[in-house]
Every structure is written in C-alpha cells, then in structure tokens.
Amino acid sequence: TFLNVVGGLDKYDEGQIIIQGKSTEDFKQSDFDSYRNTMIGFIFQEYNVLDEFTVSQNIALALELQGHKATSSNVSAILEDVDLVGYGTRKPNALSGGQKQRVAIAGALAMEQDILILDEATSMLDPEGTKEIIQLIKHLNKNLGKTIITITHDLSFAAQSDYLVVLKDGRLILEGIPKDVFKEEELLK
C-alpha cells in the first residue's frame, strides 16, 4: 500500500505527500502520470526482466522506452553502475537472483529517475545476493545521488539503511536512524 501511495498509484485517506513543494492533494491525474514517468523508478521483487532478451537488450529497451538512443556506451555505463560489466550478452535465466535484480535496477537507472522504490528487493535472494543488492543500493545513493526507498520485512536488511520508517497496520510506529529505532525493538513486536 505504501509503495502504491508514494508511487501515485493509489490515493491515501489522510495526510499528504509533498513533491517538489507541491502537495499531491492538488495533483491532477496528468501530474501523477508525469511524476511516475519522470521521477519514480519501481523495482519489484519478481525482477521484471524479459528472459528472451540479453541483459544489454533489457537495458536498451528501457532506454528506448524513455526516448533515449540505446548506444553501446549508454548501455555499458549502466552495466558498470550495477556491477554487471561482462554480463551484457547473457540472458537473465543464466544469472543468479542477485544479478537478475541488478538487471531490474539497471532498467530503472536507464529511465533516469531520481527516486528508486524497491519492493522487497531481497526477498527472493540468498544471503550473498542480499549483500550484493545492499552494496548496490548504497552505491546508487552515495555515488549517483539516487533517493532509495526500500520496502522490506527483513529487519536485518532494514537495519543497514540510513533512515528507517516502521509501519504497522498502516500506521507509523517508529522512525529515525536504525540504531535508535532498534533500541525501541519491543515496539516492533
């Protein structure tokens, strides 16, 4: 629900979301469409990559859908951003879960959104794949300036974030830096 509300897919009952100084209460449908198309990149737990395309073709398609020319240098730069140099000619079914998730993230990067929303991005990954995705998220935030919103039920993953918001039954129950939030761990039960 949170992902859908922040992504402008569902309406909220109370409160407001402010985007670049404008409340979404004042948004028309065209404003939400523009917001989703230009600012938000969604990465889902199911990877959402085309298995019949190579990794490079998946990225090229994302570039073309945004109206960009899919040059080999553009695709190579994105492969480098997600640490998949050398994997461009592989098909997704030849990749690990963590690598597939990086292909999905690469597709979102091709769309050049400032905000990436990851829905349970590590839920289908083994510990090594989870570690890879956490490192990639930190890289995207620190080195590319992306705002990353991650929806997760994995508290060990959440504990590695810069800022944590804990929702329970649609209500905000805790927020802050993880070390402070987890001091209140009895509230998480």
Side-chain angles (χ1 to χ4, degrees), residues 49-61 75 79 87-93 95 103:
V49 296
L50 300 173
D51 287 328
E52 62 273 13
F53 285 18
T54 65
V55 169
S56 290
Q57 289 169 329
N58 270 280
I59 296 168
L61 178 61
V75 172
L79 286 169
Y87 290 85
T89 59
R90 293 191 189 184
K91 299 253 179 139
N93 62 3
L95 303 175
V103 174

Side-chain angles (χ1 to χ4, degrees), residues 18 81 163:
I18 299 180
D81 285 337
Y163 194 81

Side-chain angles (χ1 to χ4, degrees), residues 9 17 27 40-41 47 51 53 56 60 70 81 94 98-99 112 126 129 141 146 151 158 162 170 180 189:
L9 301 171
I17 299 172
F27 272 30
I40 298 277
Y47 310 127
D51 287 328
F53 285 18
S56 290
D81 285 337
Q99 291 166 333
E112 298 182 352
D126 62 16
N141 177 254
K146 302 292 182 185
I151 302 357
D162 292 333
D180 293 339
K189 296 176 184 172

Side-chain angles (χ1 to χ4, degrees), residues 84-146:
L84 286 175
V85 172
Y87 290 85
T89 59
R90 293 191 189 184
K91 299 253 179 139
N93 62 3
L95 303 175
S96 70
Q99 291 166 333
K100 284 183 190 177
Q101 191 63 286
R102 286 190 275 158
V103 174
I105 292 170
L109 287 177
M111 300 174 92
E112 298 182 352
Q113 273 77 349
D114 294 328
I115 302 168
L116 299 179
I117 298 178
L118 288 81
D119 181 18
E120 297 287 351
T122 60
S123 68
M124 296 173 34
L125 302 178
D126 62 16
E128 185 59 33
T130 297
K131 183 179 173 184
E132 291 173 8
I133 294 302
I134 290 169
Q135 289 172 344
L136 176 58
I137 289 169
K138 289 180 179 188
H139 163 75
L140 296 174
N141 177 254
K142 182 179 179 183
N143 298 327
L144 299 182
K146 302 292 182 185

